[in-house]
Amino acid sequence: MFRNIWDRIKEAGAYLLNSRLVMLILVFCLSSSILIGRLFYLQIVKGEDYLQNYELSIRRTSTIQGTRGNIYDRNGELLAYNKLAYSVTINLSTVENAITTTRRAEKNQEINRILDKVLSIVEEHGDSVISSFGIVLDSAGEYQFTQTSETQRLRFIADVYGEAKIDQLTKKQKNQTAADVIHYLCSDERYGYGLDESSLDAAYILKMINMRYAMNLNSFQQYIDTTLASDVSDETAAAIMENKDILTGIDITEDSVRKYTDAEYFASIIGYTGQISQEEYDALSEDDKKRYSLSDTVGKAGLEQTFDSVLQGTKGKTTVYVDNLGRVTDTVSRKEPEAGNDVYLTIDKNLQENTYKLLEEKVAGIVLAKLQNVLTYDPSNVSDSKNLIIPVGDAYYNLIGNSIIDTGHFVKDDAKTAEKAVYSIFQPKREEAVAAIIAQMQNKDAAAYKDLDDEMKGYMDYVCDTVLTKNTGILNSDLIDKNDDTYISWAKDEVISLYTYLNYAISKNWIDTTKLGENSYSSSEEIYQEILNYLQDYLKNDSSFDKLLYENLIKSGSVTGNQVCAILYEQGVLPMDESAYNGLLSGSIGAFSWLTGKIQNLEITPGQLALEPCSAGAVVTDPKTGKVLACVSYPGYDNNRLSNVMDTDYYVQLSTGLSRTFYNRATQEKTAPGSTYKMMSSVAGLTEGVIGGGTYLPCTGEFDKITPSPKCWIYPSAHGSLNVVGAIQHSCNDFFYEVGYRLGQDENGNYDSSVGLEKLEKYASMFGLDQTSGVEIPESDPQISDTDAVRSAIGQGTNNYTVSQLNRYVTAVANRGTVYKLSLVGKTTDADGKLIKEYEPEVVNQMDEVSSSTWNLVHNGMESMVKNSSVFSKMEIAMGGKTGTAQQSKVHPDHVLFAGYAPADDPQIAITVRIANGYSSNYAAEIGRDITKVYFDANAAKDLITGKASSLGKAGSGD
């Protein structure tokens, strides 16, 4: 029996050994045992050790930005370069990988904790986080958009809401205020950042949103770092690294930041850089989109923008493994970036700077000569614009209106004596003014606009034109019938009240009620009451309305010039001078004398004062090549504060300031050319044969062949009989009226203005005045006159040109008919200095139709003008030149111009200068004279440029 059992066991064993299934089961059991054992060892025996040393091996590929190319002047002087700097960055993917919760509120809390710590460290060491978000705090502490146009504002809102096109926004989203956008980003359940508006300071919220929004822009690009603070100090970098264990995803990276030498002189040409916007990225071609990402730095203005593809380096790439804290554990591969190409300008650095200083000193001299110690002034009572003055009340107010003084600081805890005193006057005034406006608008029997006092007229204008129409669109200008009798009664005849006009506008459906909110209204009375409610809230938080109130307070003497000037010391606009400061507060120093002293020494500049005049432009070229030697717009700005991480407050100040600093006075500002146009009319008249070199035409002071009869500038005197040389020398209007008249005559002697205009246009086009000049930065389109051939021949009519366009025309006069495409760029090279491209002179037109004798006559006239002008009496270099005056209106000083060339026998430079609202063309001529001196004699700058307001020669009575 025992044997049988044993045999059965052996048979069973043999069966098991021969059975595949059994063998598989055994192998499975054995493998499972090993795995379970290993798992037990890893998780139980060594679990704590592995948890403490856990490393997430994440393969991460990132791009390395190539270094941007440098910009040099024609002589190799450095104008724009890159500086190695530290940046504080965050990697959102690393942060999110380290956060275990999936709940948005908890994720927000952890991200905000990290950013709060970063903000604290950065500010503790005197640095600041990025400020590139499209909303800032105004002087009243209210949120406002930085965009300067409605389209830009809507594009920004579309970006916030993640919409590709503006049209995809809802009506409610389109009507969002800056505060609404902030509220959405703080509190939206799905996309909000979890910031408590009720308990957090507005400035703090804005800083946090700046960082969070920048991170969101990169969120779709996995493992792309976001810069939170740029160009930070060594102390900030060290503090960040010391706290890295509690700052998940935060790192210090080496970066290059863009720097500019002598910024204010060149900013209008070079521009600045910044992070590419969604709108700019969307506008790129498909090929360019492969080269750029939303984290890239690009040119935002000027040559930085125009030549971005040249200056932009080629990106490198690195592939690494990182742990859960973002630390690199292994490098897989690395491709080094390549530096961008360098750009050499045609600009002469010294000439550019000297020209800028000459403009500033001359404008300051004009301001001093015209500034008078009166608070208010009515220019409409002056018959001749040359006799207009500048009331000092305008200067005091413009220090606030041009945002040189920060009225928002008046309410801060550290506000000082004059600030507190001014605010104590302002606060009740605002309450009183708002109440008066609402009372006026509630009164159905209110006085007609024309019967109101000047202050209330200003309020009604502001409410109707600025708030309801321009700023909010509640009064939709596109719907208004400009021929409607009631509209005319309000806008032109001024015989009705704003109450009457707005109620009529409601009845005609000119009011967009959606701008007032989502309420439905059953009657026009309800709509009007809602408008009043809206205005009452709006005006109490409107910084522009605040400025209007400050203007009234200053002009009335309620806020004194002494107080305004003392605030300049209190806010650090000027370095503290205790003696002067206390003298202003006590009244022992007069504000007017103090201010004129500061203007004289250029401690307060015309650009800051934003008076008339406050700006000027000049272009200097080589007439043999069309290369631009200087292209100056005054006032300039510090592009270092806008490049890399933008100083948003500074940007808003520049873009909204009264000086309009971003408006390039050399390439964008257009005015009539005035008498500088007479060389063109001379060429047209001589070439068409309506006058000859020996033709003498009478000047009686009044041209009576057309009605109304235009007058010569010398009227009631007269020039007598002149030929073309004398007409250019004396700038005789009558002579050129006759030229324009003759150009418009047919073979039978009948005058047709359109015929004359056609011939004038023909020659203006030959001089290139029908197109932009060619400079590689934004330039306004020119306008050849299309009305009144007689007046157009002296540079009036509708002629409108920039300084750059007039300079190309004068360059062609100087070189006898070669019209060049002006250029600011000489060549480009690679980082090693190897030539890539030489920008050769480009001829647009060769005026072969114009005879040598015609050029001789024109040159003789211009050279006679210089020889016989007291402005040029001590010139050692012979010049040709022509002054010009362009009237803006009777209540504003004239724009004044000078165009010329030197030396007379072989022109090496062509110069065009314009001072907007500069009073006398002799002042522009003085600048042209001094530019010539400093160009041909470097030592002359030491005597001519003093750092003080320039003395003025005698203001000429002609143009």
Side-chain angles (χ1 to χ4, degrees):
M1 183 176 179
F2 176 78
R3 184 179 179 83
N4 288 339
I5 294 172
W6 175 249
D7 290 339
R8 289 179 181 176
I9 291 173
K10 286 197 299 179
E11 289 175 5
Y15 173 78
L16 291 173
L17 289 171
N18 293 324
S19 172
R20 293 183 179 179
L21 178 60
V22 172
M23 291 300 294
L24 286 173
I25 292 172
L26 289 173
V27 170
F28 176 77
C29 291
L30 181 61
S31 300
S32 297
S33 299
I34 294 172
L35 288 173
I36 291 170
R38 184 61 178 168
L39 187 62
F40 178 83
Y41 176 80
L42 291 174
Q43 290 194 336
I44 306 302
V45 177
K46 302 291 289 183
E48 186 174 351
D49 291 339
Y50 280 121
L51 184 61
Q52 292 174 352
N53 296 287
Y54 172 63
E55 289 187 347
L56 241 165
S57 289
I58 301 171
R59 187 181 174 101
R60 171 177 162 184
T61 299
S62 59
T63 57
I64 309 170
Q65 196 71 34
T67 303
R68 197 171 182 83
N70 295 333
I71 300 176
Y72 300 89
D73 87 330
R74 67 187 294 113
N75 300 311
E77 295 280 351
L78 191 61
L79 303 177
Y81 63 99
N82 308 291
K83 171 190 165 189
L84 191 63
Y86 292 122
S87 293
V88 181
T89 63
I90 187 169
N91 189 278
L92 183 57
S93 297
T94 302
V95 176
E96 292 181 336
N97 286 335
I99 298 175
T100 57
T101 180
T102 59
R103 296 181 59 189
R104 182 166 183 81
E106 294 174 359
K107 290 178 70 174
N108 272 333
Q109 186 176 7
E110 177 59 16
I111 294 172
N112 290 341
R113 179 197 66 78
I114 295 170
L115 295 182
D116 176 78
K117 183 63 176 176
V118 169
L119 177 61
S120 175
I121 293 173
V122 168
E123 293 191 337
E124 181 182 343
H125 293 90
D127 294 315
S128 57
V129 296
I130 57 174
S131 179
S132 55
F133 189 56
I135 293 175
V136 295
L137 288 171
D138 63 19
S139 58
E142 301 295 326
Y143 296 115
Q144 71 172 38
F145 293 109
T146 62
Q147 296 76 33
T148 55
S149 73
E150 179 70 1
T151 300
Q152 291 173 331
R153 184 186 71 84
L154 291 175
R155 179 62 263 171
F156 168 70
I157 293 176
D159 291 342
V160 170
Y161 283 96
E163 302 294 353
K165 298 180 179 179
I166 291 174
D167 294 342
Q168 294 172 319
L169 291 170
T170 65
K171 183 172 286 189
K172 179 180 179 181
Q173 289 170 338
K174 288 181 178 180
N175 293 333
Q176 296 257 284
T177 65
D180 292 334
V181 172
I182 294 291
H183 178 70
Y184 165 77
L185 290 175
C186 284
S187 59
D188 187 76
E189 290 185 4
R190 186 173 180 183
Y191 299 108
Y193 302 149
L195 297 167
D196 185 0
E197 294 172 275
S198 64
S199 63
L200 297 173
D201 176 70
Y204 174 84
I205 286 176
L206 197 54
K207 292 169 187 174
M208 293 291 286
I209 285 179
N210 265 281
M211 293 187 285
R212 291 295 303 267
Y213 187 74
M215 291 164 63
N216 273 13
L217 290 178
N218 286 337
S219 61
F220 69 96
Q221 301 177 90
Q222 197 172 25
Y223 305 124
I224 293 292
D225 291 338
T226 299
T227 298
L228 301 180
S230 180
D231 197 15
V232 299
S233 64
D234 292 345
E235 292 76 15
T236 296
I240 291 290
M241 296 305 291
E242 289 171 5
N243 289 274
K244 208 158 181 271
D245 58 331
I246 59 171
L247 297 176
T248 306
I250 300 295
D251 203 357
I252 294 293
T253 60
E254 287 188 347
D255 198 2
S256 62
V257 293
R258 198 64 160 171
K259 293 293 181 183
Y260 303 98
T261 58
D262 303 306
E264 65 178 343
Y265 309 124
F266 293 92
S268 60
I269 298 175
I270 294 177
Y272 54 93
T273 63
Q275 186 172 330
I276 190 171
S277 68
Q278 183 71 53
E279 185 177 12
E280 290 169 326
Y281 182 80
D282 292 341
L284 295 173
S285 66
E286 291 303 316
D287 287 339
D288 283 339
K289 284 181 180 178
K290 296 174 183 177
R291 299 175 54 230
Y292 290 90
S293 71
L294 282 169
S295 61
D296 283 351
T297 295
V298 297
K300 307 289 280 189
L303 292 171
E304 288 278 30
Q305 184 178 46
T306 308
F307 278 74
D308 186 73
S309 60
V310 175
L311 293 162
Q312 192 79 245
T314 303
K315 295 177 182 176
K317 183 184 292 185
T318 181
T319 302
V320 298
Y321 283 106
V322 297
D323 63 18
N324 67 318
L325 294 178
R327 296 175 299 201
V328 176
T329 60
D330 187 26
T331 299
V332 178
S333 64
R334 180 181 175 90
K335 177 187 176 184
E336 295 297 330
E338 297 178 10
N341 298 320
D342 295 334
V343 174
Y344 285 78
L345 306 186
T346 59
I347 297 293
D348 183 303
K349 180 175 181 288
N350 291 332
L351 182 64
Q352 178 83 6
E353 293 182 8
N354 288 335
T355 300
Y356 183 97
K357 292 173 182 176
L358 288 169
L359 290 176
E360 181 173 60
E361 291 181 8
K362 188 63 66 177
V363 174
I366 299 170
V367 169
L368 276 179
K370 298 297 180 178
L371 193 65
Q372 292 192 18
N373 193 16
V374 294
L375 292 179
T376 60
Y377 176 66
D378 185 0
S380 63
N381 295 324
V382 179
S383 59
D384 188 341
S385 61
K386 290 184 174 64
N387 297 324
L388 291 168
I389 68 163
I390 303 172
V392 75
D394 286 355
Y396 297 147
Y397 164 66
N398 282 10
L399 290 168
I400 291 176
N402 202 29
S403 299
I404 305 303
I405 287 175
D406 177 12
T407 57
H409 192 264
F410 294 178
V411 298
K412 301 292 185 182
D413 293 338
D414 59 343
K416 296 181 175 60
T417 304
E419 292 176 298
K420 291 177 180 178
V422 170
Y423 189 72
S424 69
I425 299 168
F426 166 79
Q427 192 174 23
K429 176 65 176 179
R430 180 168 59 187
E431 295 176 1
E432 172 193 316
V434 172
I437 290 169
I438 299 302
Q440 171 74 17
M441 295 181 66
Q442 282 178 329
N443 183 6
K444 64 180 180 179
D445 298 321
Y449 175 90
K450 68 182 181 65
D451 297 325
L452 301 174
D453 60 41
D454 289 341
E455 183 174 337
M456 186 56 72
K457 281 181 179 178
Y459 293 151
M460 294 297 102
D461 287 338
Y462 183 77
V463 166
C464 183
D465 300 338
T466 302
V467 178
L468 295 180
T469 305
K470 180 182 176 182
N471 289 358
T472 66
I474 291 173
L475 183 56
N476 191 330
S477 59
D478 294 334
L479 300 177
I480 296 173
D481 178 4
K482 304 299 190 299
N483 296 315
D484 184 278
D485 289 341
T486 302
Y487 170 79
I488 293 172
S489 294
W490 164 256
K492 297 180 181 179
D493 298 337
E494 302 177 349
V495 294
I496 62 174
S497 67
L498 186 55
Y499 173 96
T500 302
Y501 174 58
L502 288 180
N503 276 281
Y504 183 78
I506 293 170
S507 72
K508 302 297 288 185
N509 293 317
W510 297 346
I511 298 294
D512 185 351
T513 57
T514 63
K515 304 285 188 179
L516 297 170
E518 297 182 341
N519 297 332
S520 58
Y521 305 98
S522 58
S523 67
S524 59
E525 289 80 7
E526 286 187 7
I527 295 174
Y528 188 69
Q529 186 58 49
E530 189 60 32
I531 290 175
L532 295 183
N533 295 339
Y534 183 93
L535 284 171
Q536 192 157 17
D537 291 337
Y538 187 97
L539 294 175
K540 289 179 179 178
N541 299 295
D542 179 14
S543 59
S544 295
F545 179 63
D546 289 351
K547 288 183 177 181
L548 178 59
L549 296 177
Y550 279 115
E551 181 175 18
N552 290 333
L553 289 169
I554 289 170
K555 298 290 181 70
S556 68
S558 300
V559 170
T560 69
N562 281 55
Q563 290 171 321
V564 173
C565 295
I567 291 172
L568 295 175
Y569 286 122
E570 292 180 346
Q571 294 196 352
V573 177
L574 296 174
M576 178 55 74
D577 179 336
E578 293 289 348
S579 176
Y581 172 65
N582 291 324
L584 287 168
L585 289 180
S586 67
S588 62
I589 292 178
F592 180 77
S593 60
W594 179 91
L595 181 62
T596 54
K598 294 302 178 186
I599 298 171
Q600 175 66 45
N601 294 326
L602 294 179
E603 294 174 80
I604 296 176
T605 66
Q608 290 176 308
L609 290 171
L611 299 164
E612 291 184 345
C614 71
S615 64
V619 175
V620 183
T621 54
D622 179 350
K624 300 179 188 297
T625 63
K627 292 182 177 180
V628 180
L629 304 175
C631 181
V632 177
S633 177
Y634 178 83
Y637 62 93
D638 184 356
N639 46 358
N640 286 300
R641 295 179 65 179
L642 302 180
S643 202
N644 309 301
V645 178
M646 179 179 285
D647 182 339
T648 310
D649 291 338
Y650 183 60
Y651 175 82
V652 173
Q653 177 188 334
L654 296 178
S655 58
T656 62
L658 302 176
S659 295
R660 299 197 299 164
T661 307
F662 284 142
Y663 191 50
N664 193 313
R665 309 294 175 158
T667 65
Q668 291 178 302
E669 183 177 54
K670 297 191 298 184
T671 68
S675 293
T676 62
Y677 207 62
K678 289 174 179 174
M679 290 86 77
M680 198 286 300
S681 297
S682 299
V683 170
L686 290 164
T687 307
E688 290 293 319
V690 300
I691 57 169
T695 302
Y696 282 80
L697 300 176
C699 169
T700 62
E702 184 174 7
F703 186 75
D704 59 5
K705 292 185 179 182
I706 63 171
T707 304
S709 300
K711 295 178 174 58
C712 188
W713 66 264
I714 202 171
Y715 181 86
S717 298
H719 285 114
S721 184
L722 296 170
N723 66 0
V724 68
V725 173
I728 293 174
Q729 175 190 333
H730 295 287
S731 197
C732 177
N733 289 349
D734 268 17
F735 183 97
F736 289 100
Y737 289 146
E738 178 66 23
V739 170
Y741 186 83
R742 291 187 178 189
L743 287 171
Q745 286 181 306
D746 61 21
E747 57 186 14
N748 297 318
N750 299 314
Y751 172 70
D752 183 345
S753 178
S754 63
V755 174
L757 288 169
E758 185 177 337
K759 290 178 182 176
L760 288 171
E761 181 180 8
K762 170 187 172 183
Y763 286 89
S765 298
M766 289 168 61
F767 276 106
L769 287 170
D770 61 335
Q771 55 191 268
T772 55
S773 71
V775 291
E776 296 88 348
I777 55 178
E779 186 177 14
S780 299
D781 292 326
Q783 181 179 346
I784 297 175
S785 181
D786 58 1
T787 182
D788 193 343
V790 167
R791 289 177 174 83
S792 294
I794 70 162
Q796 294 181 6
T798 56
N799 283 305
N800 247 333
Y801 307 104
T802 66
V803 174
S804 52
Q805 290 151 12
L806 290 175
N807 181 274
R808 177 162 74 164
Y809 147 64
V810 174
T811 293
V813 171
N815 65 35
R816 295 173 170 259
T818 302
V819 181
Y820 286 104
K821 180 179 181 180
L822 300 190
S823 178
L824 294 164
V825 179
K827 65 180 180 179
T828 56
T829 68
D830 65 18
D832 296 323
K834 182 179 179 182
L835 181 66
I836 295 175
K837 181 178 180 179
E838 186 93 39
Y839 288 77
E840 299 293 339
E842 183 177 337
V843 176
V844 176
N845 185 37
Q846 186 66 54
M847 300 173 65
D848 297 327
E849 304 93 331
V850 182
S851 68
S852 178
S853 61
T854 292
W855 292 122
N856 289 340
L857 291 168
V858 171
H859 280 210
N860 287 342
M862 296 177 72
E863 290 160 22
S864 294
M865 178 265 169
V866 170
K867 288 177 183 177
N868 291 278
S869 170
S870 60
V871 171
F872 300 92
S873 61
K874 296 182 180 180
M875 280 290 291
E876 296 180 0
I877 300 171
M879 293 182 65
K882 185 72 194 76
T883 55
T885 302
Q887 187 180 66
Q888 179 177 343
S889 75
K890 292 182 179 180
V891 296
H892 295 279
D894 295 337
H895 306 306
V896 296
L897 304 97
F898 171 78
Y901 57 84
D905 58 346
D906 182 23
Q908 296 179 38
I909 57 170
I911 304 165
T912 312
V913 178
R914 175 169 57 215
I915 307 174
N917 307 117
Y919 286 89
S920 170
S921 58
N922 275 3
Y923 302 150
E926 289 170 7
I927 295 173
R929 173 200 66 197
D930 293 344
I931 289 173
T932 303
K933 288 181 178 180
V934 300
Y935 179 80
F936 288 104
D937 180 5
N939 293 322
K942 297 176 183 178
D943 297 324
L944 293 171
I945 300 171
T946 64
K948 298 180 182 295
S950 172
S951 58
L952 302 177
K954 182 179 180 181
S957 56
D959 62 359

